[in-house]
Amino acid sequence: MRAINPWINFNGNAEEAFNFYRSVLGGEFTKIIRFKDLANEQFQVSYEDAHKIMRIGLPIGKSNVLLANDVPSFMGTVNENENRSKIVVNAESREEAEQLFNGLSAGGEVEGPIDDSPWGTYAGMFRDKYGIEWIIEFDPNI
């Protein structure tokens, strides 16, 4: 398997969230596609949804991409507080783990402070300011 890439749904703030993620994780976005870019006779796009993100990607590391979209209004809203899936980031050092944890958790809610875990890693868990849950972990044995 080459990679598993998480895909997140947002309620109109995908671009804002991804600019925040890029400020912490670095990198450059892959092509950003907006709903208006896909509009045609068979796929009508409302004015409200025209500038929303249909697809955005942020490469992370060598073979992973964090992906997202805004949910168009005709599909309803996403309850971000009900989302219990987590994005796990495996850092290359304790220092990188701390940097990522502190950066991505800013403005969010820490569920488990970053510290030595009972299973031998350095890990922490939080929900970021966009409602997305993350685990940042460094395993010195890998």
Side-chain angles (χ1 to χ4, degrees):
M1 184 175 310
R2 288 179 30 213
I4 295 176
N5 299 305
W7 189 300
I8 311 168
N9 291 307
F10 288 91
N11 290 314
N13 60 344
E15 189 167 13
E16 174 189 337
F18 266 57
N19 279 319
F20 171 70
Y21 298 153
R22 181 177 63 179
S23 75
V24 176
L25 299 170
E28 293 300 323
F29 298 135
T30 58
K31 185 175 183 180
I32 298 173
I33 302 169
R34 299 183 188 280
F35 282 99
K36 69 178 183 169
D37 299 331
L38 304 176
N40 60 47
E41 285 185 29
Q42 290 76 36
F43 185 68
Q44 299 289 316
V45 176
S46 70
Y47 177 79
E48 176 186 6
D49 291 333
H51 291 282
K52 288 182 178 179
I53 300 293
M54 191 277 173
R55 185 182 192 282
I56 188 170
L58 179 62
I60 299 172
K62 295 179 180 142
S63 60
N64 300 297
V65 179
L66 182 61
L67 299 160
N69 67 281
D70 289 313
V71 175
S73 57
F74 70 86
M75 294 181 76
T77 59
V78 174
N79 185 344
E80 287 134 348
N81 291 326
E82 295 287 321
N83 179 6
R84 297 306 299 177
S85 299
K86 293 182 176 23
I87 298 171
V88 179
V89 177
N90 295 302
E92 293 184 17
S93 66
R94 271 178 91 94
E95 294 76 22
E96 182 185 37
E98 284 184 17
Q99 175 191 7
L100 294 172
F101 184 89
N102 293 332
L104 290 169
S105 67
E109 181 180 332
V110 173
E111 295 177 345
I114 193 158
D115 202 352
D116 292 320
S117 71
W119 51 91
T121 66
Y122 185 65
M125 180 172 48
F126 58 91
R127 181 183 296 269
D128 72 20
K129 63 185 175 183
Y130 300 101
I132 305 304
E133 295 189 49
W134 298 78
I135 296 173
I136 307 296
E137 185 170 52
F138 167 64
D139 186 342
N141 299 314
I142 294 180

